[in-house]
Amino acid sequence: MKALIILAVLLTFALIFWLYSRNKDSKRTMIALASFIVIISLGIMGNITRPVIPLFLTHIVLVASAWGGLLYYLFRQQYLWWLIFSPIVTIVLFVALSLLEGSRYEDMWGSLL
């Protein structure tokens, strides 16, 4: 599974640079790279939702849909910002639930804040 994720990351980078070499559109390339970095970062940050399984599965689906939104931007040149930033919802929900209801990971919040 990890090999497929790494392969998908490499193929996406290759697609971004291939489209740049073909079109020479630096603005589109920078937006695509920034969005890709945001999606990867949100995917990594989403590991904090792992204790709540339904929230974690929702986060995985939203990261996959954000990746699809990036590919949609690359092929159709229409930026769906709400789709690309959608994984933030699960992270914010997890933090809100943790602050409202408490968590067994309360010492983690002290080190982050």
Side-chain angles (χ1 to χ4, degrees):
M1 185 66 181
K2 290 180 183 181
L4 290 176
I5 293 172
I6 292 171
L7 183 65
V9 168
L10 293 175
L11 286 176
T12 304
F13 268 128
L15 177 65
I16 290 171
F17 287 114
W18 180 72
L19 288 174
Y20 173 72
S21 68
R22 205 170 133 211
N23 299 333
K24 300 295 185 205
D25 188 2
S26 61
K27 179 182 174 186
R28 182 173 159 200
T29 303
M30 288 301 151
I31 291 172
L33 284 175
S35 298
F36 190 60
I37 290 169
V38 165
I39 292 169
I40 296 290
S41 300
L42 288 174
I44 293 169
M45 287 188 324
N47 283 330
I48 66 168
T49 64
R50 199 174 278 256
V52 183
I53 298 300
L55 199 58
F56 181 66
L57 293 176
T58 304
H59 183 76
I60 290 173
V61 169
L62 289 177
V63 168
S65 65
W67 207 309
L70 175 64
L71 293 176
Y72 186 79
Y73 172 67
L74 289 174
F75 291 117
R76 300 285 177 125
Q77 298 177 2
Q78 184 178 2
Y79 193 71
L80 303 174
W81 64 269
W82 54 270
L83 187 60
I84 290 175
F85 291 103
S86 63
I88 292 175
V89 173
T90 55
I91 295 170
V92 169
L93 184 61
F94 179 78
V95 170
L97 286 173
S98 180
L99 292 175
L100 290 174
E101 293 293 322
S103 169
R104 63 178 183 229
Y105 302 105
E106 288 161 353
D107 59 332
M108 178 179 71
W109 296 116
S111 64
L112 289 177
L113 299 176

